[in-house]
Amino acid sequence: MNYRIAIRPRLQVARQSPDDQTPPSLDTGVLMQLLEHIQAGGSIASACRVTALSYRHVWGLLRSAEEVFGGALLVKQRGTGTRLTPLAETLLRAQQRIDARLAPMLSSLASELETELARVVATDGDALRLYASHGFAVEALVERLKAGQFPLELRFRNSAEAVAALAHRECDLAGFHIPLGPFENEALRYYRQWLDPRRHRLVHLATRNQGLFVAPGNPKYILALADLARSDVRFVNRQAGSGTRMLLELMLGAAGLTPQRVNGFDTTEFTHAAVAAYIASGMADAGFGVQTAAQKFGLEFVPLARERYFFAVERQALDTGLMRDVLALLGSADFRQVINALPGYDGALSGQILTLDEAFPEMVSR
């Protein structure tokens, strides 16, 4: 028996009371869903249909929320439907930022709990141990594995941690990414301390675009890395150890820019989506990450690099039953179509198995 556990964060809000009484609080779980559907559909009625809640119940919840927040959440206009007020938009952006920041941690925790439960009831043997950074193609794969009832032990780790875990036989698949072009060899040299050409093989997941995230309309006209050194530009970075952070540092070095010249270089988020949500909230002007995240949050994207995402795997594990099934899924036409639907991603080679020398023919084998 396989278990599926979901952990979702939500806001619990109460207005501070001037006396000693405990003020009533509001659980915003349903409220955020309603605001999201009202924003998408332009009416309360459409949100009621999607959520299967009565009009009366929805109005009651909205009025209670407005009392707690002390302001209107909706504006109804003749002929144009219902739209969110700036207060409601701020609440939605806050929830999006929470979800983007905590999603990897909560997904890993949910996977740990699933594994523990399975072990307690002694079900179905070993699980596939997948360690990888949180990304959109990886997320698509995890969804397919769970839908197919694959026993899965998921840990979201940065690229360096994932490959190091594989070297110590702590996982079965380790996700990492290498830029195409002038920074390929330097990036690969970093991971080669854990990868053995005789022991490991690479499984291609996707090729994807990396670049700058900027606000809609690009009001500060940020077009290149050099613009990050401007005093009027606030930047938000990925965490140290991530492959995206390493690529950015390589590119900055090639452009003659030091991290100290970038305002906000030490402000970090754990995922591409969290970086995009941070910018969408107006807390920064620019970030660096994959195109899909920028488009998901309505941001402009300035492409700067192309990279390949691989899973490293033990050569001897390729012939095991579970791994064969996973590889078949990765190479299927259906899964490649899913990858191709992600903005900036190319899944044409998904599932291809390579030696390190085949993947990187210009590197000299050790």
Side-chain angles (χ1 to χ4, degrees):
M1 180 186 298
N2 293 325
Y3 297 94
R4 294 196 65 177
I5 296 175
I7 308 172
R8 297 186 177 93
R10 57 192 184 190
L11 298 172
Q12 191 85 21
V13 181
R15 293 185 68 181
Q16 188 171 2
S17 177
D19 51 35
D20 294 333
Q21 295 182 351
T22 302
S25 63
L26 173 72
D27 187 328
T28 64
V30 177
L31 175 66
M32 293 302 180
Q33 294 180 39
L34 289 172
L35 293 180
E36 185 176 349
H37 292 309
I38 291 171
Q39 185 181 58
S43 72
I44 298 174
S46 64
C48 292
R49 287 193 296 271
V50 174
T51 58
L53 296 174
S54 71
Y55 199 87
R56 179 178 180 181
H57 178 78
V58 168
W59 258 120
L61 178 59
L62 290 169
R63 288 196 184 100
S64 297
E66 288 179 339
E67 289 179 7
V68 170
F69 288 109
L73 297 175
L74 303 177
V75 176
K76 297 188 70 174
Q77 294 180 323
R78 185 182 299 274
T80 60
T82 302
R83 62 177 178 83
L84 304 187
T85 65
L87 171 60
E89 291 175 345
T90 299
L91 291 173
L92 262 188
R93 287 196 297 267
Q95 185 65 51
Q96 290 170 344
R97 198 161 71 248
I98 291 168
D99 292 339
R101 181 177 292 177
L102 297 182
M105 182 190 309
L106 296 179
S107 294
S108 290
L109 178 57
S111 182
E112 291 173 17
L113 296 176
E114 290 167 355
T115 303
E116 289 177 17
L117 285 173
R119 286 171 180 164
V120 168
V121 297
T123 62
D124 301 336
D126 295 332
L128 177 77
R129 300 171 300 170
L130 171 59
Y131 285 26
S133 58
H134 187 271
F136 295 93
V138 173
E139 191 174 85
L141 174 62
V142 170
E143 289 177 359
R144 287 298 189 280
L145 291 174
K146 290 186 174 182
Q149 300 296 307
F150 285 81
L152 178 65
E153 184 176 331
L154 173 66
R155 300 288 185 275
F156 282 118
R157 300 288 188 266
N158 65 47
S159 295
E161 291 171 337
V163 178
L166 180 72
H168 294 100
R169 293 183 167 84
E170 296 171 0
C171 68
D172 304 306
L173 287 174
F176 71 107
H177 42 101
I178 299 287
L180 293 165
F183 306 110
E184 181 178 75
N185 288 348
E186 191 167 354
L188 180 61
R189 272 193 291 270
Y190 178 65
Y191 296 113
R192 281 289 297 271
Q193 62 186 300
W194 298 294
L195 295 174
D196 184 339
R198 296 161 298 181
R199 176 182 155 192
H200 296 125
R201 294 293 181 266
L202 301 182
V203 181
H204 194 285
L205 176 62
T207 306
R208 63 187 190 180
N209 291 334
Q210 291 256 37
L212 294 173
F213 301 169
V214 296
N218 198 358
K220 293 198 173 181
Y221 205 65
I222 301 168
L223 298 176
L225 288 179
D227 293 317
L228 301 182
R230 286 166 30 196
S231 60
D232 65 324
V233 173
R234 300 165 300 163
F235 185 72
V236 57
N237 207 350
R238 287 291 305 281
Q239 81 280 13
S242 69
T244 295
R245 168 79 166 253
M246 180 176 67
L247 173 58
L248 175 64
E249 290 175 350
L250 290 173
M251 295 177 71
L252 287 174
L257 297 173
T258 62
Q260 292 75 20
R261 294 183 61 189
V262 179
N263 177 24
F265 189 86
D266 293 327
T267 301
T268 61
E269 290 287 351
F270 192 71
T271 67
H272 298 280
V275 169
Y278 198 92
I279 298 166
S281 297
M283 299 173 68
D285 304 303
F288 186 78
V290 297
Q291 182 176 347
T292 311
Q295 293 193 210
K296 180 179 180 180
F297 286 88
L299 303 176
E300 301 281 340
F301 180 75
V302 181
L304 295 179
R306 193 85 169 143
E307 65 180 11
R308 294 181 290 174
Y309 196 110
F310 295 103
F311 289 123
V313 59
E314 293 277 354
R315 176 179 57 83
Q316 294 180 340
L318 293 172
D319 293 327
T320 62
L322 180 58
M323 189 63 73
R324 283 200 302 268
D325 292 340
V326 173
L327 294 174
L329 187 156
L330 279 166
S332 67
D334 176 66
F335 184 72
R336 290 179 175 181
Q337 186 175 6
V338 170
I339 298 300
N340 288 332
L342 297 171
Y345 275 80
D346 183 350
L349 300 179
S350 180
Q352 182 183 62
I353 301 171
L354 302 165
T355 65
L356 267 74
D357 289 341
E358 289 170 338
F360 307 99
E362 295 183 6
M363 289 292 290
V364 178
S365 299
R366 289 194 296 223

